[in-house]
Amino acid sequence: MPPSKFLSKEDCLRAMQNTKSNRGAARFLRCSLNHYKKYARVYVDEVTGITLYESHKNLSGKGIPKFISNKGKQAPLKDLIEGKLAIESFEPAKIKQRLVFEGYLKEECSRCGFHEERLSDSKIPLILQFKDRNRKNYELDNIELMCYNCSYLYAVSPISEKQVIKMEHYIDKQGAEVDWEVDDAMKEHLQSLGLWKEKIDPTDGKNYISENYKGYGKEEN
């Protein structure tokens, strides 16, 4: 299990400045309310002497649109696009989903037209890219969907160079090389299947095993 996310006092204060409640602050920091609460109750406001959690309570919900609640209706997507609502109060994945479902974006790569579904879950692997790199700017002329390949080529790469190196770095987990030995009975069986050749042809991709294969005797000098 990965270690839990550490929240500094500066993190909590930054979240408080951008939200209207503790629940909103937790959402802003991409963590659960209980996780946020654990830290916000430790840090104290130097002016008032009370904890950050207590100072950011908003029991009356003042200034919070009703649709922010899980039980309320969804916010008008047009208001989010036009920047009339604080984007920090909403989950990016849900905004992306609504942009497609409500017809604002076509569910395909804007560069190459890729729109194939992934076999594992039938989702189309697309990334929402922001042309000005500002993830708060959802204006329609600033956002576009890209496949992973085009994201790597033209926008923000979906993977880091460190991840690429890790995937490309080969590690031989088998350890010591195994000295295979093919006896006469196995040789006859392979010959009957057409998989045994007396001479090696390096250009033949179907040359699976041969007399010269290491493990069945040694090549004569």
PDB file of all heavy atoms in Angstrom, residues 91-122:
ATOM      1  N   GLU A  91     -14.748  17.426 -10.200  1.00  0.00           N
ATOM      2  CA  GLU A  91     -13.773  16.402 -10.579  1.00  0.00           C
ATOM      3  C   GLU A  91     -13.504  16.469 -12.087  1.00  0.00           C
ATOM      4  O   GLU A  91     -14.433  16.392 -12.890  1.00  0.00           O
ATOM      5  CB  GLU A  91     -14.288  15.013 -10.212  1.00  0.00           C
ATOM      6  CG  GLU A  91     -14.443  14.797  -8.716  1.00  0.00           C
ATOM      7  CD  GLU A  91     -14.935  13.393  -8.397  1.00  0.00           C
ATOM      8  OE1 GLU A  91     -14.693  12.488  -9.223  1.00  0.00           O
ATOM      9  OE2 GLU A  91     -15.550  13.210  -7.352  1.00  0.00           O
ATOM     10  N   PRO A  92     -12.227  16.608 -12.478  1.00  0.00           N
ATOM     11  CA  PRO A  92     -11.884  16.706 -13.898  1.00  0.00           C
ATOM     12  C   PRO A  92     -12.422  15.554 -14.740  1.00  0.00           C
ATOM     13  O   PRO A  92     -12.856  15.760 -15.874  1.00  0.00           O
ATOM     14  CB  PRO A  92     -10.348  16.712 -13.885  1.00  0.00           C
ATOM     15  CG  PRO A  92      -9.998  17.281 -12.544  1.00  0.00           C
ATOM     16  CD  PRO A  92     -11.047  16.760 -11.604  1.00  0.00           C
ATOM     17  N   ALA A  93     -12.398  14.332 -14.196  1.00  0.00           N
ATOM     18  CA  ALA A  93     -12.865  13.168 -14.957  1.00  0.00           C
ATOM     19  C   ALA A  93     -14.350  13.288 -15.296  1.00  0.00           C
ATOM     20  O   ALA A  93     -14.785  12.917 -16.396  1.00  0.00           O
ATOM     21  CB  ALA A  93     -12.608  11.890 -14.168  1.00  0.00           C
ATOM     22  N   LYS A  94     -15.137  13.831 -14.355  1.00  0.00           N
ATOM     23  CA  LYS A  94     -16.572  13.982 -14.597  1.00  0.00           C
ATOM     24  C   LYS A  94     -16.852  15.108 -15.592  1.00  0.00           C
ATOM     25  O   LYS A  94     -17.786  15.025 -16.390  1.00  0.00           O
ATOM     26  CB  LYS A  94     -17.290  14.234 -13.279  1.00  0.00           C
ATOM     27  CG  LYS A  94     -17.327  13.013 -12.368  1.00  0.00           C
ATOM     28  CD  LYS A  94     -18.150  13.258 -11.119  1.00  0.00           C
ATOM     29  CE  LYS A  94     -18.225  12.007 -10.264  1.00  0.00           C
ATOM     30  NZ  LYS A  94     -19.029  12.219  -9.031  1.00  0.00           N
ATOM     31  N   ILE A  95     -16.036  16.161 -15.529  1.00  0.00           N
ATOM     32  CA  ILE A  95     -16.202  17.258 -16.490  1.00  0.00           C
ATOM     33  C   ILE A  95     -15.911  16.743 -17.899  1.00  0.00           C
ATOM     34  O   ILE A  95     -16.655  17.011 -18.851  1.00  0.00           O
ATOM     35  CB  ILE A  95     -15.269  18.433 -16.156  1.00  0.00           C
ATOM     36  CG1 ILE A  95     -15.607  19.013 -14.781  1.00  0.00           C
ATOM     37  CG2 ILE A  95     -15.380  19.527 -17.215  1.00  0.00           C
ATOM     38  CD1 ILE A  95     -14.669  20.101 -14.327  1.00  0.00           C
ATOM     39  N   LYS A  96     -14.832  15.981 -18.036  1.00  0.00           N
ATOM     40  CA  LYS A  96     -14.460  15.394 -19.324  1.00  0.00           C
ATOM     41  C   LYS A  96     -15.596  14.517 -19.860  1.00  0.00           C
ATOM     42  O   LYS A  96     -15.955  14.596 -21.040  1.00  0.00           O
ATOM     43  CB  LYS A  96     -13.183  14.582 -19.156  1.00  0.00           C
ATOM     44  CG  LYS A  96     -12.783  13.778 -20.373  1.00  0.00           C
ATOM     45  CD  LYS A  96     -11.595  12.902 -20.030  1.00  0.00           C
ATOM     46  CE  LYS A  96     -11.321  11.883 -21.123  1.00  0.00           C
ATOM     47  NZ  LYS A  96     -10.222  10.959 -20.761  1.00  0.00           N
ATOM     48  N   GLN A  97     -16.165  13.714 -18.978  1.00  0.00           N
ATOM     49  CA  GLN A  97     -17.260  12.826 -19.370  1.00  0.00           C
ATOM     50  C   GLN A  97     -18.473  13.620 -19.860  1.00  0.00           C
ATOM     51  O   GLN A  97     -19.074  13.300 -20.880  1.00  0.00           O
ATOM     52  CB  GLN A  97     -17.652  11.943 -18.188  1.00  0.00           C
ATOM     53  CG  GLN A  97     -18.678  10.871 -18.513  1.00  0.00           C
ATOM     54  CD  GLN A  97     -19.035  10.062 -17.287  1.00  0.00           C
ATOM     55  OE1 GLN A  97     -19.505  10.604 -16.279  1.00  0.00           O
ATOM     56  NE2 GLN A  97     -18.801   8.765 -17.354  1.00  0.00           N
ATOM     57  N   ARG A  98     -18.802  14.683 -19.151  1.00  0.00           N
ATOM     58  CA  ARG A  98     -19.955  15.501 -19.532  1.00  0.00           C
ATOM     59  C   ARG A  98     -19.689  16.262 -20.835  1.00  0.00           C
ATOM     60  O   ARG A  98     -20.613  16.463 -21.637  1.00  0.00           O
ATOM     61  CB  ARG A  98     -20.302  16.472 -18.403  1.00  0.00           C
ATOM     62  CG  ARG A  98     -20.891  15.807 -17.170  1.00  0.00           C
ATOM     63  CD  ARG A  98     -21.308  16.829 -16.141  1.00  0.00           C
ATOM     64  NE  ARG A  98     -22.342  17.717 -16.654  1.00  0.00           N
ATOM     65  CZ  ARG A  98     -22.739  18.827 -16.033  1.00  0.00           C
ATOM     66  NH1 ARG A  98     -22.176  19.191 -14.892  1.00  0.00           N
ATOM     67  NH2 ARG A  98     -23.694  19.581 -16.563  1.00  0.00           N
ATOM     68  N   LEU A  99     -18.464  16.688 -21.057  1.00  0.00           N
ATOM     69  CA  LEU A  99     -18.130  17.379 -22.294  1.00  0.00           C
ATOM     70  C   LEU A  99     -18.421  16.499 -23.510  1.00  0.00           C
ATOM     71  O   LEU A  99     -18.844  16.986 -24.561  1.00  0.00           O
ATOM     72  CB  LEU A  99     -16.654  17.788 -22.294  1.00  0.00           C
ATOM     73  CG  LEU A  99     -16.280  18.981 -21.391  1.00  0.00           C
ATOM     74  CD1 LEU A  99     -14.767  19.076 -21.251  1.00  0.00           C
ATOM     75  CD2 LEU A  99     -16.849  20.283 -21.932  1.00  0.00           C
ATOM     76  N   VAL A 100     -18.204  15.202 -23.330  1.00  0.00           N
ATOM     77  CA  VAL A 100     -18.472  14.248 -24.415  1.00  0.00           C
ATOM     78  C   VAL A 100     -19.960  13.938 -24.495  1.00  0.00           C
ATOM     79  O   VAL A 100     -20.576  14.025 -25.561  1.00  0.00           O
ATOM     80  CB  VAL A 100     -17.654  12.956 -24.210  1.00  0.00           C
ATOM     81  CG1 VAL A 100     -18.080  11.886 -25.224  1.00  0.00           C
ATOM     82  CG2 VAL A 100     -16.167  13.229 -24.338  1.00  0.00           C
ATOM     83  N   PHE A 101     -20.557  13.588 -23.352  1.00  0.00           N
ATOM     84  CA  PHE A 101     -21.965  13.183 -23.328  1.00  0.00           C
ATOM     85  C   PHE A 101     -22.909  14.292 -23.778  1.00  0.00           C
ATOM     86  O   PHE A 101     -23.930  14.037 -24.409  1.00  0.00           O
ATOM     87  CB  PHE A 101     -22.354  12.720 -21.930  1.00  0.00           C
ATOM     88  CG  PHE A 101     -21.788  11.373 -21.558  1.00  0.00           C
ATOM     89  CD1 PHE A 101     -21.955  10.856 -20.290  1.00  0.00           C
ATOM     90  CD2 PHE A 101     -21.092  10.621 -22.478  1.00  0.00           C
ATOM     91  CE1 PHE A 101     -21.435   9.613 -19.947  1.00  0.00           C
ATOM     92  CE2 PHE A 101     -20.562   9.383 -22.161  1.00  0.00           C
ATOM     93  CZ  PHE A 101     -20.729   8.882 -20.881  1.00  0.00           C
ATOM     94  N   GLU A 102     -22.566  15.548 -23.459  1.00  0.00           N
ATOM     95  CA  GLU A 102     -23.434  16.659 -23.816  1.00  0.00           C
ATOM     96  C   GLU A 102     -23.079  17.277 -25.174  1.00  0.00           C
ATOM     97  O   GLU A 102     -23.609  18.319 -25.542  1.00  0.00           O
ATOM     98  CB  GLU A 102     -23.402  17.714 -22.709  1.00  0.00           C
ATOM     99  CG  GLU A 102     -23.951  17.175 -21.382  1.00  0.00           C
ATOM    100  CD  GLU A 102     -24.051  18.229 -20.295  1.00  0.00           C
ATOM    101  OE1 GLU A 102     -24.176  19.424 -20.639  1.00  0.00           O
ATOM    102  OE2 GLU A 102     -24.006  17.858 -19.103  1.00  0.00           O
ATOM    103  N   GLY A 103     -22.171  16.629 -25.894  1.00  0.00           N
ATOM    104  CA  GLY A 103     -21.908  17.014 -27.273  1.00  0.00           C
ATOM    105  C   GLY A 103     -20.939  18.158 -27.495  1.00  0.00           C
ATOM    106  O   GLY A 103     -20.810  18.648 -28.627  1.00  0.00           O
ATOM    107  N   TYR A 104     -20.235  18.591 -26.458  1.00  0.00           N
ATOM    108  CA  TYR A 104     -19.273  19.680 -26.639  1.00  0.00           C
ATOM    109  C   TYR A 104     -17.993  19.183 -27.327  1.00  0.00           C
ATOM    110  O   TYR A 104     -17.351  19.922 -28.063  1.00  0.00           O
ATOM    111  CB  TYR A 104     -18.927  20.316 -25.297  1.00  0.00           C
ATOM    112  CG  TYR A 104     -20.030  21.190 -24.739  1.00  0.00           C
ATOM    113  CD1 TYR A 104     -20.954  20.679 -23.828  1.00  0.00           C
ATOM    114  CD2 TYR A 104     -20.156  22.520 -25.135  1.00  0.00           C
ATOM    115  CE1 TYR A 104     -21.972  21.475 -23.317  1.00  0.00           C
ATOM    116  CE2 TYR A 104     -21.168  23.325 -24.634  1.00  0.00           C
ATOM    117  CZ  TYR A 104     -22.081  22.796 -23.722  1.00  0.00           C
ATOM    118  OH  TYR A 104     -23.088  23.580 -23.223  1.00  0.00           O
ATOM    119  N   LEU A 105     -17.594  17.932 -27.040  1.00  0.00           N
ATOM    120  CA  LEU A 105     -16.407  17.346 -27.652  1.00  0.00           C
ATOM    121  C   LEU A 105     -16.766  16.002 -28.264  1.00  0.00           C
ATOM    122  O   LEU A 105     -17.528  15.228 -27.681  1.00  0.00           O
ATOM    123  CB  LEU A 105     -15.294  17.145 -26.607  1.00  0.00           C
ATOM    124  CG  LEU A 105     -14.647  18.395 -26.009  1.00  0.00           C
ATOM    125  CD1 LEU A 105     -13.626  17.991 -24.957  1.00  0.00           C
ATOM    126  CD2 LEU A 105     -13.997  19.254 -27.080  1.00  0.00           C
ATOM    127  N   LYS A 106     -16.207  15.723 -29.435  1.00  0.00           N
ATOM    128  CA  LYS A 106     -16.401  14.424 -30.079  1.00  0.00           C
ATOM    129  C   LYS A 106     -15.431  13.434 -29.459  1.00  0.00           C
ATOM    130  O   LYS A 106     -14.252  13.753 -29.253  1.00  0.00           O
ATOM    131  CB  LYS A 106     -16.157  14.545 -31.577  1.00  0.00           C
ATOM    132  CG  LYS A 106     -16.586  13.321 -32.366  1.00  0.00           C
ATOM    133  CD  LYS A 106     -16.464  13.575 -33.862  1.00  0.00           C
ATOM    134  CE  LYS A 106     -16.937  12.364 -34.650  1.00  0.00           C
ATOM    135  NZ  LYS A 106     -16.839  12.592 -36.109  1.00  0.00           N
ATOM    136  N   GLU A 107     -15.913  12.231 -29.145  1.00  0.00           N
ATOM    137  CA  GLU A 107     -15.083  11.253 -28.450  1.00  0.00           C
ATOM    138  C   GLU A 107     -14.119  10.566 -29.415  1.00  0.00           C
ATOM    139  O   GLU A 107     -14.253   9.389 -29.746  1.00  0.00           O
ATOM    140  CB  GLU A 107     -15.949  10.218 -27.731  1.00  0.00           C
ATOM    141  CG  GLU A 107     -15.175   9.433 -26.673  1.00  0.00           C
ATOM    142  CD  GLU A 107     -16.072   8.551 -25.837  1.00  0.00           C
ATOM    143  OE1 GLU A 107     -17.238   8.320 -26.220  1.00  0.00           O
ATOM    144  OE2 GLU A 107     -15.613   8.079 -24.790  1.00  0.00           O
ATOM    145  N   GLU A 108     -13.143  11.324 -29.855  1.00  0.00           N
ATOM    146  CA  GLU A 108     -12.089  10.818 -30.708  1.00  0.00           C
ATOM    147  C   GLU A 108     -10.910  11.781 -30.631  1.00  0.00           C
ATOM    148  O   GLU A 108     -11.041  12.926 -30.180  1.00  0.00           O
ATOM    149  CB  GLU A 108     -12.553  10.684 -32.161  1.00  0.00           C
ATOM    150  CG  GLU A 108     -12.863  12.006 -32.834  1.00  0.00           C
ATOM    151  CD  GLU A 108     -13.253  11.845 -34.306  1.00  0.00           C
ATOM    152  OE1 GLU A 108     -13.682  10.734 -34.672  1.00  0.00           O
ATOM    153  OE2 GLU A 108     -13.118  12.825 -35.063  1.00  0.00           O
ATOM    154  N   CYS A 109      -9.743  11.319 -31.055  1.00  0.00           N
ATOM    155  CA  CYS A 109      -8.547  12.169 -31.026  1.00  0.00           C
ATOM    156  C   CYS A 109      -8.710  13.312 -32.027  1.00  0.00           C
ATOM    157  O   CYS A 109      -9.040  13.088 -33.195  1.00  0.00           O
ATOM    158  CB  CYS A 109      -7.309  11.339 -31.366  1.00  0.00           C
ATOM    159  SG  CYS A 109      -5.778  12.320 -31.411  1.00  0.00           S
ATOM    160  N   SER A 110      -8.493  14.523 -31.566  1.00  0.00           N
ATOM    161  CA  SER A 110      -8.666  15.698 -32.420  1.00  0.00           C
ATOM    162  C   SER A 110      -7.576  15.793 -33.489  1.00  0.00           C
ATOM    163  O   SER A 110      -7.725  16.530 -34.465  1.00  0.00           O
ATOM    164  CB  SER A 110      -8.647  16.972 -31.568  1.00  0.00           C
ATOM    165  OG  SER A 110      -7.405  17.100 -30.886  1.00  0.00           O
ATOM    166  N   ARG A 111      -6.486  15.046 -33.329  1.00  0.00           N
ATOM    167  CA  ARG A 111      -5.381  15.114 -34.293  1.00  0.00           C
ATOM    168  C   ARG A 111      -5.441  13.992 -35.333  1.00  0.00           C
ATOM    169  O   ARG A 111      -5.287  14.239 -36.517  1.00  0.00           O
ATOM    170  CB  ARG A 111      -4.038  15.050 -33.549  1.00  0.00           C
ATOM    171  CG  ARG A 111      -3.789  16.210 -32.597  1.00  0.00           C
ATOM    172  CD  ARG A 111      -3.781  17.542 -33.317  1.00  0.00           C
ATOM    173  NE  ARG A 111      -3.531  18.656 -32.443  1.00  0.00           N
ATOM    174  CZ  ARG A 111      -2.362  19.268 -32.326  1.00  0.00           C
ATOM    175  NH1 ARG A 111      -1.334  18.853 -33.047  1.00  0.00           N
ATOM    176  NH2 ARG A 111      -2.219  20.283 -31.500  1.00  0.00           N
ATOM    177  N   CYS A 112      -5.634  12.746 -34.879  1.00  0.00           N
ATOM    178  CA  CYS A 112      -5.573  11.617 -35.814  1.00  0.00           C
ATOM    179  C   CYS A 112      -6.906  10.890 -35.974  1.00  0.00           C
ATOM    180  O   CYS A 112      -7.029  10.002 -36.816  1.00  0.00           O
ATOM    181  CB  CYS A 112      -4.499  10.621 -35.375  1.00  0.00           C
ATOM    182  SG  CYS A 112      -4.916   9.699 -33.857  1.00  0.00           S
ATOM    183  N   GLY A 113      -7.910  11.255 -35.168  1.00  0.00           N
ATOM    184  CA  GLY A 113      -9.220  10.639 -35.299  1.00  0.00           C
ATOM    185  C   GLY A 113      -9.375   9.303 -34.606  1.00  0.00           C
ATOM    186  O   GLY A 113     -10.403   8.629 -34.751  1.00  0.00           O
ATOM    187  N   PHE A 114      -8.379   8.878 -33.826  1.00  0.00           N
ATOM    188  CA  PHE A 114      -8.449   7.584 -33.124  1.00  0.00           C
ATOM    189  C   PHE A 114      -9.674   7.536 -32.211  1.00  0.00           C
ATOM    190  O   PHE A 114      -9.937   8.459 -31.447  1.00  0.00           O
ATOM    191  CB  PHE A 114      -7.179   7.389 -32.287  1.00  0.00           C
ATOM    192  CG  PHE A 114      -7.194   6.151 -31.432  1.00  0.00           C
ATOM    193  CD1 PHE A 114      -6.775   4.931 -31.947  1.00  0.00           C
ATOM    194  CD2 PHE A 114      -7.626   6.210 -30.117  1.00  0.00           C
ATOM    195  CE1 PHE A 114      -6.794   3.791 -31.162  1.00  0.00           C
ATOM    196  CE2 PHE A 114      -7.654   5.078 -29.330  1.00  0.00           C
ATOM    197  CZ  PHE A 114      -7.235   3.861 -29.850  1.00  0.00           C
ATOM    198  N   HIS A 115     -10.422   6.419 -32.269  1.00  0.00           N
ATOM    199  CA  HIS A 115     -11.604   6.294 -31.414  1.00  0.00           C
ATOM    200  C   HIS A 115     -11.913   4.830 -31.083  1.00  0.00           C
ATOM    201  O   HIS A 115     -13.052   4.467 -30.821  1.00  0.00           O
ATOM    202  CB  HIS A 115     -12.828   6.928 -32.099  1.00  0.00           C
ATOM    203  CG  HIS A 115     -13.168   6.303 -33.424  1.00  0.00           C
ATOM    204  ND1 HIS A 115     -12.576   6.705 -34.584  1.00  0.00           N
ATOM    205  CD2 HIS A 115     -14.022   5.318 -33.748  1.00  0.00           C
ATOM    206  CE1 HIS A 115     -13.059   5.990 -35.586  1.00  0.00           C
ATOM    207  NE2 HIS A 115     -13.948   5.121 -35.105  1.00  0.00           N
ATOM    208  N   GLU A 116     -10.882   3.979 -31.062  1.00  0.00           N
ATOM    209  CA  GLU A 116     -11.088   2.557 -30.776  1.00  0.00           C
ATOM    210  C   GLU A 116     -11.267   2.333 -29.271  1.00  0.00           C
ATOM    211  O   GLU A 116     -10.620   2.978 -28.452  1.00  0.00           O
ATOM    212  CB  GLU A 116      -9.904   1.735 -31.284  1.00  0.00           C
ATOM    213  CG  GLU A 116      -9.788   1.713 -32.798  1.00  0.00           C
ATOM    214  CD  GLU A 116      -8.667   0.805 -33.263  1.00  0.00           C
ATOM    215  OE1 GLU A 116      -8.326  -0.135 -32.524  1.00  0.00           O
ATOM    216  OE2 GLU A 116      -8.127   1.054 -34.351  1.00  0.00           O
ATOM    217  N   GLU A 117     -12.145   1.398 -28.933  1.00  0.00           N
ATOM    218  CA  GLU A 117     -12.404   1.076 -27.537  1.00  0.00           C
ATOM    219  C   GLU A 117     -11.349   0.112 -27.006  1.00  0.00           C
ATOM    220  O   GLU A 117     -10.915  -0.802 -27.701  1.00  0.00           O
ATOM    221  CB  GLU A 117     -13.790   0.449 -27.371  1.00  0.00           C
ATOM    222  CG  GLU A 117     -14.933   1.398 -27.697  1.00  0.00           C
ATOM    223  CD  GLU A 117     -16.284   0.759 -27.465  1.00  0.00           C
ATOM    224  OE1 GLU A 117     -16.330  -0.457 -27.214  1.00  0.00           O
ATOM    225  OE2 GLU A 117     -17.298   1.467 -27.546  1.00  0.00           O
ATOM    226  N   ARG A 118     -10.955   0.314 -25.763  1.00  0.00           N
ATOM    227  CA  ARG A 118     -10.018  -0.584 -25.109  1.00  0.00           C
ATOM    228  C   ARG A 118     -10.721  -1.894 -24.778  1.00  0.00           C
ATOM    229  O   ARG A 118     -11.852  -1.895 -24.290  1.00  0.00           O
ATOM    230  CB  ARG A 118      -9.490   0.086 -23.834  1.00  0.00           C
ATOM    231  CG  ARG A 118      -8.320  -0.599 -23.189  1.00  0.00           C
ATOM    232  CD  ARG A 118      -7.637   0.329 -22.210  1.00  0.00           C
ATOM    233  NE  ARG A 118      -8.565   0.930 -21.267  1.00  0.00           N
ATOM    234  CZ  ARG A 118      -8.239   1.893 -20.416  1.00  0.00           C
ATOM    235  NH1 ARG A 118      -7.024   2.385 -20.425  1.00  0.00           N
ATOM    236  NH2 ARG A 118      -9.136   2.394 -19.583  1.00  0.00           N
ATOM    237  N   LEU A 119     -10.074  -3.018 -25.043  1.00  0.00           N
ATOM    238  CA  LEU A 119     -10.720  -4.315 -24.865  1.00  0.00           C
ATOM    239  C   LEU A 119     -11.072  -4.603 -23.411  1.00  0.00           C
ATOM    240  O   LEU A 119     -12.067  -5.250 -23.122  1.00  0.00           O
ATOM    241  CB  LEU A 119      -9.793  -5.428 -25.388  1.00  0.00           C
ATOM    242  CG  LEU A 119      -9.539  -5.421 -26.906  1.00  0.00           C
ATOM    243  CD1 LEU A 119      -8.544  -6.507 -27.268  1.00  0.00           C
ATOM    244  CD2 LEU A 119     -10.837  -5.610 -27.666  1.00  0.00           C
ATOM    245  N   SER A 120     -10.257  -4.120 -22.486  1.00  0.00           N
ATOM    246  CA  SER A 120     -10.456  -4.454 -21.069  1.00  0.00           C
ATOM    247  C   SER A 120     -11.714  -3.840 -20.466  1.00  0.00           C
ATOM    248  O   SER A 120     -12.359  -4.443 -19.614  1.00  0.00           O
ATOM    249  CB  SER A 120      -9.236  -4.022 -20.245  1.00  0.00           C
ATOM    250  OG  SER A 120      -9.024  -2.617 -20.387  1.00  0.00           O
ATOM    251  N   ASP A 121     -12.084  -2.616 -20.888  1.00  0.00           N
ATOM    252  CA  ASP A 121     -13.222  -1.951 -20.252  1.00  0.00           C
ATOM    253  C   ASP A 121     -14.096  -1.161 -21.239  1.00  0.00           C
ATOM    254  O   ASP A 121     -14.990  -0.427 -20.827  1.00  0.00           O
ATOM    255  CB  ASP A 121     -12.738  -0.999 -19.148  1.00  0.00           C
ATOM    256  CG  ASP A 121     -11.702   0.001 -19.652  1.00  0.00           C
ATOM    257  OD1 ASP A 121     -11.547   0.123 -20.885  1.00  0.00           O
ATOM    258  OD2 ASP A 121     -11.044   0.641 -18.811  1.00  0.00           O
ATOM    259  N   SER A 122     -13.834  -1.293 -22.540  1.00  0.00           N
ATOM    260  CA  SER A 122     -14.612  -0.622 -23.593  1.00  0.00           C
ATOM    261  C   SER A 122     -14.506   0.898 -23.560  1.00  0.00           C
ATOM    262  O   SER A 122     -15.306   1.590 -24.184  1.00  0.00           O
ATOM    263  CB  SER A 122     -16.094  -1.042 -23.513  1.00  0.00           C
ATOM    264  OG  SER A 122     -16.236  -2.423 -23.750  1.00  0.00           O
TER     265      SER A 122
END
